[in-house]
Amino acid sequence: MWRNLLLRGTTCLLQVAAPRFLHQRPFPPFSCVRLLTQRLLHRPPQLLDKGYFLAHSGTRAYKKDAKSTLEIPITPVTITDIKQYLRSKEIPFHDGHSCLHIPSIFINPSDRKDSYSLFIDKTTGQFLCKDTLVEGSWEDIQDCLEVMLKQEQDFLSPHVLLGYPESMEEQEERESELREVQRIWSSSVPLTDVPEEEALLVKTMFQISKVSNATLKKFGVRLFKPTKSLVFPWFGGPDSSLKGVKLLSAQSTDNNKVIYKEATVPKCNSFHSLFGLPLVGRMDAEVVLTGSELDTLAVSQATGLPSVALPRGVSCLPPILLPYLEQFKRVTLWLGDDIRSWEASKIFSRKLGLRRCSLVRPGEYRPCPMEALAQGKNLGHIIKSSIPAAHQSIVSFKQLREDVYGELSNTEQVAGVKWARFPELNRILKGHRKGELTVFTGPTGSGKTTFISEVALDLCMQGVNTLWGSFEINNVRLAKIMLTQFAMQRLENNLEQYDFWADKFEELPLYFMTFHGQQNIKAVLDTMQHSVYLYDINHVIIDNLQFMMGQENLSVDKFAVQDHIIGAFRKFATNSSCHVTLVIHPRKEEDDRDLQTASIFGSAKASQEADNVMILQDKKLVTCPGRRSLQVTKNRFDGDVGIFPLEFLKSSLTFEAPIQGKHKLRKVAAKPENEEGAGMKVEVKKSIAPSPGLQQCGVTCGISSFQSPEFTEIGASPSASEISAGSFCERAVRGGSWPQTHFTH
């Protein structure tokens, strides 16, 4: 059924696309139609999610690009399926570490330099031809092989899969980026040609004084003088041509530390390459994988070993790069000197193959490669002492000793990523950590989705790769909410700023599942696993659990179904080292009662399996608007629990903790008695209804009665959200602990 829907979508796309958007294909008509249809059919993330809307002259042309929506293949492929298909077609293959190697079908056999240059990913079935840079899905290569066999040809033209429909706007953007790359590269100066004094100053600024000029020349490092940035080239393709550049600038802090800022042209997610790859020999069997270009320079100079740097550091290892690392029998991952680098090393080693990977554990005597070089340490010895990534099912404390010491000596890093917008959440939970399960609940209509979207956005803005599974509201509406929270303003009233904020928002490592409504748990888990492999997702939000219970067997008890689903998410979080936030509706409670951990719908398994339990409390007061607060009732990390108030800002759809002392009342001198009956007004920020207790205020303030039906607070004490307005004033009259309390008449 889904295939038919996609095929209909393909037909519609071909009808609305302008002829200039479609490139000619140099092969017979019948195969052209089939390959084009199959190409569109089997690549929904790249092409079917792109719609081109032709606008009339004088209007803004909109381009819908939903490349961040995540879908899995129509039928998940296994390594067994791939091998059986290749054998059935009599295609030879080699079984590599993470890929299968077959002869390239896009190169004339007489022109092949490497007989096995096409790599098929064992996990996803995606392929890459290193000679032509043609890439595609498993269905794509099946189509190509079928056509090639029917045509009785020895190879196919690479243009079969390279001619995607492309808008004029995309063409101009791509060409502009290439021109910018050439402009930066031609304007920069080789660092070895810079005057000695200036070169010394630059090296000192970037803390690379120990890096020799020979090493800088070997890797082609340049200096872009207008921004005082180092320029690292990205070479790729059969001719090793310049594909992009990364600019690195340095900034010193007050505590004499250096902060590096990166900028890539083109965008980092549009081009995948490994810095230092052209310097690797075809016969090299060992490589050191680092998280930055500077570390690659240090390793290469100090050890002479081949070394390459990941384009996006420790945040992601795109599977499209795995073929370039297939030739190595030993891969040492030395990604940095903090806990985040260590966690990334363990995750990346699963993609590369545990048996051939070794990890450099961060520690006092094992800093990052550049610092080790500056301190005069033996980098070769550190690499040789790296530990194997593969482990046994049973370990002793001797093997855990270094891990325990690492957690004790890096408490802040172990606590996880801090929230920038919710400091009170940092105080209680300490941070956001991988491999945990968070259960989040709150009353209906309290703003659960709005709040959790801002919490996830906060982390995503700090580099946490995030996947959203919103089954309750569609992705367009959710993205609109998050974009408003990101811009901190209503863009409906500022449409001229939309492109600016949308471009910034697009750069976030944020992805969306395309599911909506009730879904099967297996399909959801397959998508999550797929995203972790492809995009190194660190945080998955499921909103909400109840939408996955309707697809299960109705004859099974609903609580047993829920327990099964929660257990599956718990296992996924642990095995994938990915944080899962699960939104669960509470059971029905009285409006005047706070929710508790036991209020979570279902059995006790949800709270038992969860590492963290958060409840969005929403008090429905009769005399004034509801007061929201966030309560943490479980924290497995260190046991701290607590509650803090939240204020909702409708103008930006964000939450914040009220400013301390904001609701305190100030005391002023009483007015003459003849003005008592003129009415009374308290200077305000919020309006609340009067309470019978307010009548007692007249005794102290010299006011006999109120003639105004309501008054406004200047502020409230920390406990004002939990008491009525009457008791608040009564305590002030009795000389309570809140100073400077008064009413302005």
Side-chain angles (χ1 to χ4, degrees), residues 681-712:
K681 185 178 181 182
V682 179
E683 294 181 1
V684 291
K685 282 199 177 179
K686 292 185 178 177
S687 261
I688 64 175
S691 167
L694 290 175
Q695 302 295 332
Q696 303 179 21
C697 295
V699 178
T700 302
C701 298
I703 302 171
S704 59
S705 65
F706 285 99
Q707 296 186 11
S708 177
E710 64 179 22
F711 76 98
T712 319

Side-chain angles (χ1 to χ4, degrees), residues 471-482:
F471 309 108
E472 202 165 47
I473 64 175
N474 61 51
N475 287 331
V476 174
R477 189 173 167 196
L478 175 62
K480 175 187 171 184
I481 293 173
M482 299 185 74

